[in-house]
Amino acid sequence: MTDSAQENGQRRYRVNGVIKGAAVVEEMRTLLEHWTPEEGHLDLQRRVLGEDLLGKATATRARDMIMYVFRPRLLTPTDAPARRLKLFLELNGNPGSFRELLLLYEARTEAVLYDFITAKYWPARAGGELWLRTTDALDFLDEGRRQGLIEGAWSESTRRRTAHALLAALTAFGYLSDARAERREILPYRPSDFIIAYLAHDLHFAGQPDTEVIAHPDWNLFGLDANHLQERLDALGPTAGLLLQRAGSVVRISWSHLSMEAMLHALVG
């Protein structure tokens, strides 16, 4: 779990970010295409409203997208995520990989989604479950309340809207079917080579030692344990700008790219 999904050192399940930004792939694409580096969220908000960049969205909806979705996920604590995703789009990156990037940054920001994916979705899939149900999400939220991850008392409406938002997010990211029912089919999602290379470099350039890159919990978002991850990295090899070397329990990675931007140009451009 990254610090961005925590508040004052303690994880909390927030409402606004998940409900307002559960399935907003195209809205995020539009905002990234129009955002300019170093532009603050208030300046972007003014342009979005003044130029009607989100089309039919109401003024309230547009403000919510900036305040509760775009800003915390891509501009906080720095705008590095927004810069990288904007470059990815400018290089005509794969739409499926773009969804994976959005998943990574949304989950890092929203602890409730992070935990739902790692503690509910992947165990259900590994256990041979065929469906995720609204009741599964509700049970997950109730467990979070018992663990003290939910501050205050959520109304029944908020509880159900959050449960539906979790399922909607996983549908948007290709983890679940697009059925508008109380249950959605678990799909055979497999993380792309790109997201594996991206996340490995992201952790590396964030200062993580090679052993911590392999052991980082963010891989759980994509259903990868250390053994499967190392197999995928071995298969990628120099084409992804890295070379994995193992000696017993010691892991060392040789890195070719000098920055995330250089990696993106090499892998996407």
Side-chain angles (χ1 to χ4, degrees):
M1 174 78 73
T2 59
D3 290 341
S4 56
Q6 305 184 34
E7 295 179 4
N8 300 322
Q10 296 185 6
R11 292 161 56 218
R12 289 289 183 269
Y13 290 174
R14 306 186 310 161
V15 174
N16 282 326
V18 172
I19 291 177
K20 297 179 184 298
V24 290
V25 174
E26 293 310 311
E27 291 93 331
M28 293 293 274
R29 179 190 297 275
T30 297
L31 291 173
L32 282 164
E33 289 172 344
H34 289 278
W35 174 78
T36 59
E38 300 183 2
E39 182 177 32
H41 71 282
L42 292 178
D43 290 333
L44 176 61
Q45 178 177 293
R46 280 190 286 269
R47 286 206 301 116
V48 167
L49 293 173
E51 300 172 26
D52 196 24
L53 297 180
L54 291 180
K56 296 181 180 180
T58 64
T60 298
R61 173 62 176 165
R63 291 190 187 96
D64 286 347
M65 277 294 302
I66 302 296
M67 181 62 64
Y68 297 114
V69 182
F70 193 84
R71 179 192 183 192
R73 295 179 191 177
L74 302 183
L75 299 180
T76 306
T78 74
D79 66 2
R83 288 173 180 265
R84 294 171 185 173
L85 268 65
K86 184 177 180 67
L87 176 59
F88 178 86
L89 293 176
E90 291 173 345
L91 295 171
N92 295 315
N94 178 274
S97 295
F98 180 61
R99 289 194 295 271
E100 291 176 315
L101 291 170
L102 292 179
L103 180 153
L104 173 64
Y105 287 110
E106 179 175 349
R108 283 178 168 179
T109 304
E110 307 296 346
V112 64
L113 179 63
Y114 196 112
D115 289 356
F116 187 66
I117 293 172
T118 59
K120 202 71 175 180
Y121 173 83
W122 284 109
R125 178 168 156 176
E129 296 290 335
L130 300 178
W131 310 89
L132 269 187
R133 301 166 177 81
T134 303
T135 53
D136 295 322
L138 291 170
D139 290 344
F140 166 79
L141 293 173
D142 289 342
E143 179 60 26
R145 178 180 51 77
R146 287 191 290 270
Q147 293 179 10
L149 298 174
I150 295 175
E151 292 182 322
W154 285 7
S155 67
E156 180 60 18
S157 173
T158 296
R159 179 171 165 269
R160 293 195 67 85
R161 288 174 66 200
T162 304
H164 285 295
L166 291 172
L167 297 180
L170 293 193
T171 297
F173 297 136
Y175 282 29
L176 297 175
S177 69
D178 195 20
R180 306 295 181 183
E182 291 299 303
R183 67 177 189 175
R184 304 191 187 200
E185 183 182 4
I186 296 176
L187 298 178
Y189 164 79
R190 183 176 186 269
S192 68
D193 289 345
F194 172 80
I195 196 61
I196 292 173
Y198 182 95
L199 180 51
H201 282 86
D202 174 71
L203 297 171
H204 167 65
F205 287 117
Q208 297 283 349
D210 293 345
T211 53
E212 295 303 315
V213 168
I214 298 297
H216 200 278
D218 281 359
W219 295 112
N220 295 326
L221 293 168
F222 303 99
L224 293 168
D225 60 24
N227 289 331
H228 287 113
L229 172 61
Q230 291 180 62
E231 291 175 2
R232 294 290 301 271
L233 291 174
D234 272 334
L236 288 176
T239 59
L242 53 85
L243 182 62
L244 186 71
Q245 299 170 306
R246 285 172 285 188
S249 61
V250 178
V251 175
R252 182 174 180 179
I253 304 175
S254 298
W255 306 89
S256 300
H257 301 304
L258 300 180
S259 68
M260 288 297 290
E261 292 71 25
M263 183 274 298
L264 285 169
H265 278 285
L267 268 64
V268 184

